[in-house]
């Protein structure tokens, strides 16, 4: 979810699209991704390279393209829609791609970026979501068993305040900065004229580049990403609500999709001559 | 939820053919007996299963049926005689010397709702056989706890607890043919015919359980995400068991699903490997090749690899026309469908003989097993949903409940109670229908879009918002009120003064 709009928040859109790309690369299909973006960067009149969103200076990697499926775009990115997606209280006419069809065996990854403060996150400069609302939404999800385990990553200023109030089981949370600290952006690009990415997401993505679908890296390594020397802010994490030890949780449990398979050992015996019906 | 005392009643009839009555029966026939067993779900709730058994002797027609030549014919004849309702069981005890059961077989389980047991060994052996049969043909403690998996502590769950498909009002089945190499293979599968012939009878049998819809599609240039290894010894390509989990995802992106319905989708994929990767075999964990050349993923579906023979002469014209042998394919897909629903062939003692259900795909008692599990799951879901809705309303005082949401809640409660009552009296079909209605109503009530509470107003924010608004306004008002009161008092004093 990218909660900002306007040209000077280019980096938030680039953050979200880069995480989206990594997650797709590791195997999660679009049908299992709900992407909420203001989507006003690529075709913005101030974009010197139209139809592109770059995540690295010198324009190395274009994270926009025709295989980016945005589910909630522009003015549809509101607190209400976000909470509706999470809790499932969606009007019946909503198509499948805009719903979160998860069940008690699904692991959910939620990544949010934008401008935030102590206990709230700003949505599109016009409304806010508080940490209490978010915690209540997660509790509603837990009551209906809409997730097995949930990983919440937030890259905003004072991000750690957003996960303070969680109380439902099986939630792990990471934030880019503690309360009272600001998350800083990584690098400006003189060609485009804005900052392209935030530091925390930049280092998380560098970390994710090393991961492939069969890798065995665990969550403790993700917690080490972006130490204070590189990030200037202090990333935080919260694992007390999580039942398993983070050491045993694979990155691919959330960022990729590795299914359990079983060999089919039996067959049904069919009688092909059975005159069940007359063949034409 | 308060401690739930749920009762599951299974009506059983034990019918003795002449010459098979054990000598140590407690009372003369016919008589009724009830056996109760408790299944504990978690610390607070447990389920009691009541086996209401009627012991009687055969009628003349049943006797004639039991004199048939084979067990299968006897079973067919008996099925016509009895009016077995869903969830009930009938066990026929035949004399030890009877020839209807073949040599070495002591128990024959038919494909309807009856079983034949060879007499001998007295009442104790009979009771053991009965217990084994009820565990097989209705439900076991582990199948019930699997159905209630959200409420059972993790330590008590069996490993296949969360594998089976969740109870749903409908399922969508999609058959897909993946042809990554259309230049070499021109594959033709007569899927519509195969679905009508082999799949539809199974779905008709399952129609009591849920609505099914079937689609099919052909995808070209769809490759597996994993490159198979070439094995020199067998000169074939091998997919090892640990690379199988990574096969599904790249394909899934292209599978698509119906935009309109929200039912869970079961995908069955038939993969015809490229010429350059043929023949392709799947290996299990021990390195042995799998006879079905297929694997499945719980709650998702199955994939089968269909190898095409190499052309006889190297200069044969490509593309090769391939007519898929749908019988072989459907045998595997239907087996996978059974496994996805949780109907596995269990380990049975050697003297048991299970009748194959044939083209119907599943026996009546297997359908009963599914119904028991799904009814329990539905009732548990309704109870969790309504409790959580009630807790939500307690917490947020200013949510407005619309009338239709309220009526859905009442209906859900009424249906759930009717389902529990029917379960306690052994009417499985009515119980299942009621539980389906209860789930529909409770889901509609819980997920009603109007129940989204957005306004979190902590008390300090209320003060912060309203005080700056009202305080400046209130100051002149209060001052004027004070002035009026003072003047009124002065007026009261004045008249006494003036007089």
């Amino acid at each position: 979810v990218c909660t900002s709009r306007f040209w000077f928040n280019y980096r938030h859109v680039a953050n979200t699209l880069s995480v989206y790309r990594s997650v797709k690369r590791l195997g999660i299909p679009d049908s299992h991704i709900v992407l909420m973006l203001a989507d006003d960067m690529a075709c913005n009149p101030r974009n010197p390279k139209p139809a592109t969103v770059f995540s690295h200076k010198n324009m190395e990697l274009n994270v926009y393209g025709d295989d980016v499926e945005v589910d909630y775009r522009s003015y549809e990115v509101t607190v209400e829609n976000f909470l509706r997606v999470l809790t499932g209280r969606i009007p019946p006419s909503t198509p499948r791609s805009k719903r979160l069809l998860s069940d008690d065996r699904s692991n959910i990854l939620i990544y949010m970026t934008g401008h935030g403060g102590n206990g709230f996150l700003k949505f599109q400069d016009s409304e806010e979501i508080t940490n209490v609302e978010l915690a209540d939404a997660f509790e509603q999800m837990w009551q209906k068993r809409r997730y097995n385990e949930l990983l919440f990553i937030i890259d905003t200023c004072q991000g750690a305040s957003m996960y303070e109030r969680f109380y439902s089981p099986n939630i792990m949370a990471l934030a880019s900065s503690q309360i009272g600290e600001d998350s800083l952006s990584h690098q400006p690009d003189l060609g485009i004229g804005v900052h392209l990415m935030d530091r925390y997401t930049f280092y998380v993505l560098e970390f994710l580049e090393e991961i492939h679908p069969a890798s065995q890296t665990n969550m403790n390594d993700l917690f080490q990403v972006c130490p204070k020397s590189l990030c200037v802010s202090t990333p935080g994490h919260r694992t007390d609500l999580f039942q398993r030890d983070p050491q045993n949780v694979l990155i691919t449990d959330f960022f990729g999709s590795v299914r359990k398979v079983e060999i089919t050992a039996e067959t049904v015996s069919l009688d092909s001559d059975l005159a069940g019906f007359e063949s034409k | 939820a308060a401690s739930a005392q749920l009762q599951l009643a299974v009506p059983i009839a034990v019918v003795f053919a002449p010459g098979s009555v054990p000598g140590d029966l407690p009372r003369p026939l016919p008589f009724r007996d009830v056996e109760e067993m408790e299944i504990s779900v978690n610390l607070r709730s447990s389920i009691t299963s009541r086996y209401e058994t009627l012991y009687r002797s055969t009628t003349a027609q049943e006797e004639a049926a039991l004199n048939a030549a084979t067990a299968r014919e006897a079973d067919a004849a008996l099925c016509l005689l009895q009016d077995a309702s869903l969830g009930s069981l009938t066990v026929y005890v035949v004399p030890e010397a009877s020839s209807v059961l073949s040599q070495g077989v002591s128990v024959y389980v038919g494909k309807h709702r009856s079983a034949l047991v060879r007499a001998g060994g007295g009442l104790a052996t009979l009771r053991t056989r009965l217990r084994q049969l009820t565990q097989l043909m209705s439900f076991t403690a582990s199948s019930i706890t699997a159905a209630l998996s959200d409420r059972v502590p993790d330590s008590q769950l069996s490993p296949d607890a969360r594998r089976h498909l969740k109870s749903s009002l409908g399922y969508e089945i999609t058959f897909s043919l993946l042809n990554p190499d259309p230049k070499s293979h021109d594959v033709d599968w007569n899927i519509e015919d195969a679905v009508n012939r082999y799949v539809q009878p199974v779905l008709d049998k399952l129609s009591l359980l849920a609505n099914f819809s079937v689609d099919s599609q052909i995808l070209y240039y769809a490759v597996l995400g994993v490159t198979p290894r070439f094995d020199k010894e067998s000169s074939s390509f091998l997919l090892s068991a640990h690379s199988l989990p990574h096969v599904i995802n790249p394909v899934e992106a292209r599978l698509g699903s119906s935009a309109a319905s929200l039912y869970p989708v079961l995908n069955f994929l038939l993969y015809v490997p490229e010429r350059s990767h043929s023949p392709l075999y799947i290996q299990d964990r021990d390195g042995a090749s799998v006879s079905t050349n297929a694997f499945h993923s719980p709650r998702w579906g199955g994939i089968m690899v269909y190898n095409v023979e190499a052309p006889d002469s190297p200069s044969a014209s490509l593309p090769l026309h391939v007519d898929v042998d749908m019988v072989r394919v459907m045998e595997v897909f239907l087996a996978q469908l059974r496994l996805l629903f949780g109907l596995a062939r269990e380990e049975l003692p050697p003297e048991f003989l299970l009748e194959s259900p044939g083209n119907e795909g599943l026996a009546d008692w297997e359908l009963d097993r599914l119904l028991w599990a799904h009814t329990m799951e539905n009732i548990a879901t309704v109870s969790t949903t309504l409790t959580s809705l009630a807790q939500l309303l307690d917490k947020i005082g200013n949510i407005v409940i619309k009338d239709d949401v309220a009526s859905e809640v009442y209906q859900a409660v009424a249906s759930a109670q009717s389902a529990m009552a029917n379960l306690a009296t052994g009417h499985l079909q009515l119980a299942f229908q009621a539980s389906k209605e209860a789930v529909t109503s409770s889901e509609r009530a819980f997920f009603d879009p109007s129940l989204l509470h957005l306004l979190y107003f902590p008390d300090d924010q209320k003060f912060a918002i309203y005080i700056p608004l009202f305080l400046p306004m209130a100051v002149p008002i209060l001052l004027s009120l004070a002035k009026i009161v003072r003047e009124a008092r002065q007026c009261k004093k004045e008249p006494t003064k003036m007089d």
Side-chain angles (χ1 to χ4, degrees):
Chain A
V1 178
C2 164
T3 60
S4 317
R5 58 188 304 116
F6 306 130
W7 176 247
F8 49 82
N9 290 321
Y10 188 101
R11 61 190 184 284
H12 297 141
V13 172
N15 287 351
T16 317
L17 284 174
S18 312
V19 173
Y20 170 78
R21 266 192 184 272
S22 298
V23 149
K24 271 178 82 159
R25 180 179 61 82
L26 289 171
I28 304 190
D30 274 309
S31 54
H32 289 225
I33 303 180
V34 176
L35 180 61
M36 304 175 77
L37 287 182
D39 205 14
D40 56 350
M41 298 301 153
C43 300
N44 196 302
R46 289 169 75 171
N47 190 348
K49 302 276 174 194
T52 61
V53 174
F54 289 107
S55 68
H56 205 278
K57 69 174 177 206
N58 299 328
M59 301 182 215
E60 280 171 17
L61 183 59
N62 175 16
V63 289
Y64 204 70
D66 55 6
D67 62 341
V68 169
E69 244 185 55
V70 181
D71 300 304
Y72 285 86
R73 151 183 281 137
S74 185
Y75 292 109
E76 293 170 355
V77 181
T78 59
V79 173
E80 180 181 340
N81 281 346
F82 178 60
L83 290 180
R84 282 196 192 284
V85 166
L86 286 184
T87 55
R89 298 205 164 102
I90 281 190
S93 55
T94 319
R96 223 177 155 113
S97 59
K98 283 187 164 186
R99 289 181 188 250
L100 179 63
L101 295 168
S102 56
D103 60 17
D104 59 332
R105 279 178 76 222
S106 312
N107 288 350
I108 303 186
L109 166 69
I110 301 184
Y111 172 82
M112 301 184 77
T113 181
H115 288 293
N118 188 354
F120 67 92
L121 175 60
K122 195 167 70 156
F123 261 71
Q124 305 232 347
D125 240 2
S126 61
E127 46 180 8
E128 296 146 7
I129 184 171
T130 58
N131 49 8
V132 180
E133 280 174 347
L134 197 54
D136 284 343
F138 287 162
E139 176 65 13
Q140 291 284 293
M141 288 173 79
W142 175 250
Q143 293 276 332
K144 226 26 195 106
R145 298 295 185 276
R146 278 164 72 78
Y147 68 88
N148 175 28
E149 291 171 345
L150 197 138
L151 177 62
F152 178 74
I153 304 185
I154 184 160
D155 187 352
T156 64
C157 306
Q158 308 193 53
S161 64
M162 288 307 282
Y163 61 62
E164 280 190 315
R165 298 292 197 113
F166 292 164
Y167 54 93
S168 318
N170 285 350
I171 301 185
M172 201 190 304
L174 281 110
S176 59
S177 55
Q178 301 293 333
I179 300 183
E181 285 180 349
D182 290 337
S183 286
L184 299 177
S185 61
H186 186 62
Q187 48 192 194
D189 179 300
L190 296 174
I192 299 186
V194 281
H195 287 260
L196 290 182
M197 277 205 91
D198 280 330
R199 285 179 188 240
Y200 183 70
T201 308
F202 182 79
Y203 291 110
V204 166
L205 285 168
E206 247 184 23
F207 175 77
L208 287 178
E209 290 295 313
E210 321 265 312
I211 311 282
H212 54 87
S215 83
Q216 299 288 311
T217 339
N218 60 43
M219 280 294 166
N220 273 341
D221 302 324
L222 188 57
F223 296 155
Q224 310 300 331
V225 160
C226 205
K228 186 144 183 175
S229 52
L230 291 173
C231 255
V232 185
S233 57
T234 323
H237 54 90
R238 178 176 179 182
T239 54
D240 58 312
L241 294 167
F242 206 75
Q243 275 174 10
R244 292 193 286 157
D245 186 5
Q247 185 88 13
N248 300 331
V249 180
L250 297 178
I251 300 285
T252 50
D253 279 352
F254 288 102
F255 283 91
S257 174
V258 182
R259 293 176 191 270
K260 292 197 170 29
V261 294
E262 293 158 24
I263 303 284
T264 310
E266 327 177 335
T267 55
V268 164
S269 62
L270 289 176
D271 189 353
S272 55
D273 296 326
L274 202 66
F277 79 119
E278 298 294 303
S279 54
K280 300 198 179 102
Chain B
S3 65
Q5 272 297 91
L6 190 59
Q7 269 201 349
L8 299 172
V10 184
I12 307 177
V14 180
V15 183
F16 293 97
S20 67
V21 182
D24 48 346
L25 269 187
R27 277 172 281 169
L29 297 173
F31 68 94
R32 281 187 189 275
D33 192 18
V34 175
E35 201 184 310
E36 290 199 353
M37 235 178 54
E38 198 151 310
I39 304 173
S40 84
V41 173
N42 55 38
L43 292 173
R44 284 176 313 167
S45 37
S46 63
I47 296 179
T48 324
S49 46
R50 286 168 58 95
Y51 299 102
E52 297 169 351
T53 323
L54 164 67
Y55 295 86
R56 63 174 175 83
S57 27
T58 51
T59 63
Q61 296 158 313
E62 289 172 339
E63 235 179 275
L66 284 170
N67 283 330
T70 64
R72 191 182 297 184
E73 290 170 27
D75 188 42
L78 287 167
C79 169
L80 297 169
L81 290 175
Q82 54 179 228
D83 57 349
S85 61
L86 257 71
S88 67
L89 272 182
T90 317
V91 180
Y92 293 94
V93 187
V94 294
E96 218 166 323
S98 163
S99 58
V100 72
L101 288 174
S102 24
Q103 273 280 14
V105 174
S106 308
V107 182
Y108 167 85
V109 179
K111 60 182 184 174
H112 300 286
R113 292 187 174 89
S114 42
L116 301 178
V117 175
R118 195 189 292 276
L123 194 58
T125 330
L126 185 63
R127 283 246 157 91
T128 321
R129 292 266 183 255
L130 271 182
R131 199 162 301 138
Q132 286 170 322
L133 280 171
T134 49
Q135 296 277 316
L136 177 67
M137 292 168 81
S138 58
F139 51 82
T140 61
S142 64
S143 72
I144 293 293
T145 46
L148 298 175
S149 55
D150 331 335
R151 295 171 148 222
V152 176
D154 272 337
S155 47
Q156 260 186 297
L157 283 177
S158 62
D160 30 80
R162 285 182 218 264
R163 271 167 53 202
H164 306 146
L165 286 170
K166 283 176 79 80
S167 163
S168 162
L169 291 169
Y171 300 94
E172 263 188 47
I173 299 185
T174 307
F175 291 104
S176 309
L177 173 64
L178 301 178
N179 186 356
D181 196 5
K183 288 198 288 275
S184 308
H185 300 129
D186 171 22
V187 186
D188 197 8
W189 72 341
N190 196 350
I191 182 72
E192 201 173 334
D193 184 61
V195 164
N196 287 336
R197 262 196 200 217
Y198 306 118
V199 180
Q200 201 54 48
V202 180
L203 296 184
D204 286 339
K205 192 88 185 266
L206 286 172
S207 61
L208 194 59
L209 194 67
N211 295 328
F212 287 90
S213 70
V214 181
D215 307 311
S216 71
Q217 60 179 342
I218 305 184
L219 291 175
Y220 294 105
Y221 293 108
V223 290
L224 299 180
V226 180
T227 317
R229 237 182 47 241
F230 183 69
D231 180 45
K232 283 207 194 72
E233 294 165 6
S234 54
S235 62
S236 60
F237 288 85
L238 298 175
L239 268 181
S240 58
H242 63 82
S243 59
L244 292 178
H246 305 294
V247 166
I248 298 183
N249 285 316
V251 180
E252 169 132 35
R254 299 194 52 188
L255 283 178
S257 54
S258 154
S261 97
L262 295 176
Y263 292 148
V265 180
L266 299 176
N267 293 297
F268 293 101
L269 272 53
L270 185 64
Y271 183 73
V272 178
E274 303 109 312
R275 184 81 266 129
S276 53
H277 282 148
S278 290
L280 179 61
Y281 296 109
I282 299 182
Q283 270 187 332
D284 66 14
R285 264 166 245 282
D286 307 321
S289 59
V290 176
S291 57
T292 57
N293 222 11
F295 63 98
H296 61 276
S297 178
R299 294 199 188 173
W300 183 79
I303 299 188
M304 177 178 174
V305 177
Y306 189 88
N307 286 314
V308 173
E309 298 278 320
D312 304 320
S313 62
S315 58
S317 67
L318 298 173
L320 278 174
H321 186 83
V322 179
D323 266 318
V324 177
D325 176 8
M326 293 310 293
V327 178
R328 216 182 83 199
V329 168
M330 280 304 163
E331 285 184 344
V332 174
F333 281 161
L334 288 176
Q336 289 178 332
L337 182 66
R338 282 175 50 104
L339 289 169
L340 287 170
F341 269 104
L343 298 170
R345 294 273 152 72
E346 294 174 9
E347 281 298 315
L348 288 171
E351 64 262 21
F352 273 65
L353 177 64
L354 269 146
E355 176 67 51
S356 147
N359 278 25
E360 279 190 331
L362 64 159
D364 285 350
W365 52 268
E366 290 181 311
L367 180 62
D368 285 355
R369 282 188 73 113
L370 286 180
L371 287 176
W372 285 111
H374 283 209
T375 312
M376 288 307 304
E377 197 182 325
N378 287 347
I379 294 182
T381 312
V382 172
S383 139
T384 319
T385 310
L386 292 178
T387 316
S388 120
L389 191 57
Q391 282 174 348
L392 175 67
L393 301 183
D394 274 340
K395 238 178 57 153
I396 298 142
N398 51 3
I399 263 196
V400 172
I401 302 290
K402 297 196 306 199
D403 282 338
D404 50 345
V405 173
S407 72
E408 294 286 356
V409 172
Y410 286 132
Q411 186 163 357
V413 171
S415 301
Q417 283 171 338
S418 149
M420 295 197 343
N422 278 318
L423 277 180
T425 52
H427 299 114
L428 183 58
Q429 179 159 4
L430 292 175
F432 180 70
Q433 312 272 27
S435 73
K436 265 203 312 196
E437 282 168 21
V439 168
T440 318
S441 298
S442 68
E443 299 275 303
R444 242 186 258 145
F446 187 86
F447 285 120
D448 191 86
S450 69
L451 288 180
L452 192 70
H453 87 286
L454 272 188
L455 308 172
Y456 167 68
F457 269 146
D459 288 328
D460 47 348
Q461 276 193 18
K462 281 198 187 96
F463 281 124
I465 292 176
Y466 290 124
I467 286 191
L469 187 62
F470 288 122
L471 197 59
M473 277 190 339
V475 169
I477 295 178
L478 287 174
L479 286 178
S480 330
L481 273 176
K483 196 163 164 208
I484 292 176
V485 165
R486 248 182 286 135
E487 280 181 10
R489 275 204 214 126
Q490 271 192 332
C491 270
K492 272 198 213 154
K493 286 186 194 155
E494 288 292 307
T496 50
K497 260 190 187 171
M498 296 260 259
D499 281 358

